[in-house]
Amino acid sequence: MLLFREKVPANWLPKVMANLPAVLVDHAHLERKAATSALNLEKYRDLYPRVEELNAIAIEELQHFQLVLDLLKKRGIPFGQPHPSAWVGGLMKSVRGGNRSQVIDHLICASLIEGRSCEKFQFLAEALKERDPELARFYASLVESEGNHYATYLLMAKAIDEGETDRRLDFYLDLDAKLMREPSELAILH
Ligand SMILES: [Fe+2]
Ligand SMILES: [Fe+2]
């Protein structure tokens, strides 16, 4: 059900597997930002009727954040600074101004971020099975939730304006593909 037009680059998984402690810190921030993002969407008039659903997503993301923090503690990995993601930055830079345009674009970006997380957590769950079964189970346990967030944000955008969402989704899927092809040496999830 994920609509992506470009595969995750071949060097992503080895890079991430070779830097798991740093990736877990990055993951903690990713969940923190996902919670913030759900709350930020509540500022749009078109989403006032969805405020409780957005709160529920924010709470779920905050729980994920806490789970990653628990893992960090258990493994003696200190919480650290977030790395900016060129991919997320590139998507968000294209969010247009104007009420209706902005909410649609913001929802599509949030949806694609959730979708890529869902996809990458699946890869990690598979790759970690032998080497780190606890972490593999953890990533597997998040896949469904992030997949639901991906679908929920996309459906929220379509409920506001289906035609405009389809047009912008086409634009954003091309942009995602272009950004995915940019080389990156950083061991981060996105
Ligand atoms: Fe999450
Ligand atoms: Fe999520």
Side-chain angles (χ1 to χ4, degrees):
M1 93 184 197
L2 296 170
L3 302 161
F4 296 117
R5 294 171 181 174
E6 182 69 39
K7 286 196 177 116
V8 171
N11 75 336
W12 176 81
L13 191 58
K15 191 176 67 181
V16 164
M17 293 287 282
N19 293 280
L20 285 177
V23 168
L24 279 171
V25 172
D26 179 62
H27 183 179
H29 283 290
L30 183 71
E31 299 292 358
R32 178 185 60 74
K33 288 184 245 178
T36 309
S37 173
L39 295 176
N40 282 339
L41 286 164
E42 294 175 355
K43 72 185 175 192
Y44 298 111
R45 183 187 301 272
D46 283 309
L47 290 174
Y48 290 171
R50 319 297 296 263
V51 72
E52 289 185 4
E53 284 167 84
L54 289 165
N55 268 351
I57 294 178
I59 290 167
E60 215 174 313
E61 302 292 20
L62 208 51
Q63 286 166 342
H64 295 169
F65 179 32
Q66 186 58 51
L67 288 172
V68 187
L69 287 177
D70 293 345
L71 262 179
L72 290 178
K73 199 179 230 176
K74 197 170 163 191
R75 293 173 176 230
I77 303 166
F79 188 52
Q81 278 207 317
H83 287 287
S85 156
W87 176 75
V88 173
L91 292 179
M92 293 303 292
K93 221 164 52 194
S94 296
V95 172
R96 299 163 301 168
N99 279 344
R100 186 52 65 89
S101 309
Q102 196 175 342
V103 64
I104 301 260
D105 286 5
H106 199 160
L107 279 167
I108 292 173
C109 287
S111 168
L112 295 187
I113 294 167
E114 296 289 336
R116 283 295 190 188
S117 294
C118 172
E119 181 184 37
K120 288 174 169 175
F121 291 176
Q122 265 173 303
F123 293 151
L124 277 169
E126 191 54 41
L128 286 162
K129 249 184 198 158
E130 305 275 301
R131 186 176 134 186
D132 192 333
E134 183 196 38
L135 203 52
R137 279 193 301 274
F138 175 61
Y139 276 110
S141 76
L142 295 179
V143 167
E144 192 184 342
S145 167
E146 311 305 5
N148 285 340
H149 299 158
Y150 158 82
T152 301
Y153 286 147
L154 206 51
L155 291 172
M156 280 182 179
K158 282 180 187 266
I160 294 168
D161 187 332
E162 183 154 14
E164 180 65 0
T165 298
D166 288 342
R167 275 189 294 280
R168 290 303 283 170
L169 186 58
D170 183 53
F171 164 82
Y172 271 107
L173 287 172
D174 277 348
L175 178 61
D176 163 76
K178 182 176 155 269
L179 293 169
M180 288 298 274
R181 289 191 291 266
E182 303 273 335
S184 161
E185 292 311 314
L186 282 178
I188 54 177
L189 285 164
H190 294 313

